[in-house]
Amino acid sequence: MIDLASDVKTRPTAAMRQAMAMAEVGDEQAFEDPTVNALNTRVAALLGKEAALFAPSGAMCNQIAIATWCRPGDEVICDAGAHIAWYESGGPAANSGVMINTIPGHRGRFNAAQLAAAIKPGWRHCPEATLVSIEQTCNLGGGAIWSLDDLDAVAALAHQRGLKTHMDGARLFNASAATGISVDRYAEHFDSVWVDFSKGLAAPVGACLAGSKAFIDRAWRIKQRLGGAMRQAGILAAAALYALDHHVDRLVDDHGNARKLAEGLARIPGLVLDPTEVETNLIYFDVDATVLGFDAQEFCKRLLAANVRMTAFDSRRIRAVTHLDVSAADIDTALVAIQSLASR
């Protein structure tokens, strides 16, 4: 199976499994797990923050941050395609009682002027905006990278208006690998930020949320409330540490494979995409049913029969994601299968 459905499909390597087996462990929630403690210290320094905590998932990091920064009835501002608005099961409302105010940005990104227009007047009739959240890179934006200029301007305006800033850094390492800009520079003006280890970095589970010491102290209470406290979690943290040591620098390989796949798809009649929009490891393209004779759902069904998996979002839109477990040779094989499918 050539699995292009998501970069969460990565599996721990043999060396990562060995590191997990040998990990020193202790009670994580009592701060007695040396491997978790080492991971938190390292990630905080990596992101330029005072402290960090280890959580089972990035979605939990988002939910912890929202509950830490906001009160029930507050408003969180984000892009219309943000993960917190689409793919966290209504968590902001269910867990924190907050409203989501979305900005119709471009490929998951918006600018300071759009943010200014989205902040409601300070009337008691309106919900009070307390948090601005951005996603780097933008999943539904096709892996688009926020520019430093826009990040800095959005954060500056938010702080000027008294709002906190949060960065969903699910693929922050991909942005850094593509641009050469360090992750701490991207996160510099954000009050909280998290990074994921279970996507292109191949760890089986886990993410780290970072911010000031006061923020993390409060965030721990929310983590406890959500059931995120763990016991001998060093086994998981060891995978994350191994990923930081061995799997970050190679993300550029995934980006190269994504461009190769996008360029190949663009040459196939009935598939619609602009390869120049592929900035990292995410490829979104459309199926023209009038050319192929079937829609995106059927495309993915037939492709799966050829041992290649992609994700259909609706009748037109498909996502393919490159990662550690997909090689350049796999891309060639996948393109042959897709060309054959389109020809038939």
Side-chain angles (χ1 to χ4, degrees), residues 131-155:
L131 182 65
V132 175
S133 179
I134 72 97
E135 191 176 329
Q136 177 78 309
T137 65
C138 310
N139 178 9
L140 289 183
I145 301 170
W146 279 76
S147 71
L148 277 179
D149 287 345
D150 279 340
L151 285 178
D152 291 350
V154 163

Side-chain angles (χ1 to χ4, degrees), residues 65-213:
I66 291 170
T68 302
W69 292 128
C70 305
R71 300 164 301 177
D74 284 353
E75 188 171 77
V76 177
I77 301 176
C78 63
D79 182 78
H83 196 274
I84 61 172
W86 277 80
Y87 298 122
E88 297 187 13
S89 300
N95 298 321
S96 303
V98 300
M99 298 181 66
I100 297 291
N101 179 7
T102 60
I103 295 174
H106 174 63
R107 299 186 64 205
R109 302 160 299 184
F110 51 87
N111 57 40
Q114 290 173 297
L115 173 59
I119 299 174
K120 294 181 174 68
W123 300 334
R124 66 180 185 274
H125 306 278
C126 302
E128 181 181 4
T130 53
L131 182 65
V132 175
S133 179
I134 72 97
E135 191 176 329
Q136 177 78 309
T137 65
C138 310
N139 178 9
L140 289 183
I145 301 170
W146 279 76
S147 71
L148 277 179
D149 287 345
D150 279 340
L151 285 178
D152 291 350
V154 163
L157 177 66
H159 290 148
Q160 179 187 339
R161 298 291 188 90
L163 281 70
K164 295 297 184 180
T165 54
H166 172 67
M167 178 181 289
D168 173 336
R171 295 180 177 87
L172 177 56
F173 287 121
N174 289 94
S176 180
T179 63
I181 298 170
S182 65
V183 291
D184 63 324
R185 177 61 186 91
Y186 274 128
E188 182 177 359
H189 300 301
F190 285 78
D191 300 303
S192 57
V193 56
W194 64 270
V195 289
D196 195 277
F197 308 113
S198 66
K199 291 187 170 63
L201 301 189
V205 67
C208 265
L209 174 67
S212 69
K213 185 180 185 303

Side-chain angles (χ1 to χ4, degrees), residues 283-344:
I283 308 104
Y284 281 80
F285 62 98
D286 289 335
V287 169
D288 186 344
T290 62
V291 175
L292 291 183
F294 48 83
D295 66 8
Q297 302 283 350
E298 182 64 21
F299 177 95
C300 288
K301 180 180 177 181
R302 297 187 186 191
L303 194 60
L304 187 60
N307 287 322
V308 179
R309 182 159 68 166
M310 295 181 180
T311 302
F313 279 72
D314 51 36
S315 62
R316 287 183 58 87
R317 197 76 161 157
I318 292 176
R319 186 184 75 168
V321 190
T322 55
H323 52 77
L324 178 67
D325 289 348
V326 176
S327 67
D330 289 334
I331 298 299
D332 291 332
T333 302
L335 285 170
V336 169
I338 295 165
Q339 180 65 65
S340 175
L341 173 61
S343 298
R344 292 200 302 271

Side-chain angles (χ1 to χ4, degrees), residues 51-63:
L53 62 76
F54 186 46
S57 70
M60 182 176 283
C61 288
N62 277 335
Q63 295 305 309

